Every structure is written in C-alpha cells, then in structure tokens.
Amino acid sequence: KSKRASTTISDLKRKIADTSSGNQDESSNYGGIVLISIEGTWNTARKMVNKLPPHVLRLDLSDEIRLNFTTPEINEGIFIDNSITTAGETSQSPSAPSLLSPLRRQGKGAKQDNVSTLEATIVALLALGLSVDEASFILNCARRKVK
C-alpha cells in the first residue's frame, strides 16, 4: 500500500480556521475533531492504521513531541520527569523521554526516543486546547501506575 500523507498540528489548525464559520471562540472550533489513537504493537497498529479510510488525516506529532520532551518551558515541563531513568539518564534526555522507557524491552539498536501512545495523545490534545492541568493529571495517573 502507498504511504498516506500526514499533517502537522499547525496545518490542522489552519484547515480548521479556513473552514470555521466565523465563530470567535477558538476553543469551540475543535469540536468537530475526532482524535483516534491507535494502541498496540507496531505490527498490529500498522494493520489498524492501514484499515482507516483514506480521508482520515494522520497527524505528524514529531515536532511537538520533540519540543514537549526536551524543553522544560513548553507546557510547564509536564513531560519531563527527572525520577524516570534509563541507563543513568533522566527523561529530560532526548534518548529516554517516555515515562514507559524503564518498562520497554526493545532489541539492540532500537530507537530509545519513542514515546507512549498516551504521551503522544496528550501532546496532540494539548495542541488542540487541553489545559496543562488536565494533561498533568492524566500523566501523573500513568506515572503512579508505572512506579
């Protein structure tokens, strides 16, 4: 199958603004969005994504994830938890940003800078208007489960 194009959060916001009906309340412009987060192994997730209709936009969150996991000033640094370590590095390090890093069993040479589905979903929701307090609450619930 051919690889489907993805869109960034900025592009998505621009598309929404272009199609909005002049509503001045920006937060209500996102009311028509359905965010689908695919959870599973890479193989299972790939199969599920391939079954989505072609009109479903794919979000490229790589820039937002990089900023949220390496810049303490972004969203009050809620993704940076210095109590999580992998091989002596804190989660502030780009090589081990995910709260699930200590639990993952990945083969040699595997990328260590992946984030969990939950974390990626929260990054998307923050960009679309979720408050930092709400996002922080969700992350802290997950952190309690991991510890």
Side-chain angles (χ1 to χ4, degrees), residues 62-75:
S62 54
D63 289 343
E64 286 82 5
I65 288 171
R66 182 183 45 76
L67 284 172
N68 276 279
F69 282 85
T70 61
T71 311
E73 298 79 25
I74 302 292
N75 290 317

Side-chain angles (χ1 to χ4, degrees), residues 16-85:
I16 291 167
D18 290 346
T19 59
S20 69
S21 59
N23 188 342
Q24 298 301 319
D25 181 12
E26 184 179 313
S27 64
S28 68
N29 289 341
Y30 303 118
I33 292 178
V34 174
L35 182 64
I36 301 170
S37 295
I38 305 293
E39 173 63 18
T41 64
W42 281 102
N43 192 36
T44 303
R46 189 175 301 111
K47 288 177 184 176
M48 287 189 278
V49 166
N50 286 335
K51 291 183 181 200
L52 291 173
H55 68 274
V56 174
L57 294 175
R58 275 74 171 162
L59 283 178
D60 176 357
L61 296 171
S62 54
D63 289 343
E64 286 82 5
I65 288 171
R66 182 183 45 76
L67 284 172
N68 276 279
F69 282 85
T70 61
T71 311
E73 298 79 25
I74 302 292
N75 290 317
E76 300 176 18
I78 64 170
F79 291 99
I80 299 173
D81 181 358
N82 290 323
S83 68
I84 298 171
T85 60

Side-chain angles (χ1 to χ4, degrees), residues 14 20 22 28 43 49 53 58 72 85 91-92 98 108 122 129 131 141:
R14 223 177 345 271
S20 69
S28 68
N43 192 36
V49 166
R58 275 74 171 162
T85 60
S91 66
Q92 191 169 1
S98 176
K108 288 184 179 181
I122 292 172
S131 76
C141 289

Side-chain angles (χ1 to χ4, degrees), residues 103-117:
L103 304 178
R104 289 199 168 135
R105 291 178 290 185
Q106 298 177 347
K108 288 184 179 181
K111 247 179 116 173
Q112 296 296 315
D113 60 349
N114 293 330
V115 299
S116 69
T117 303

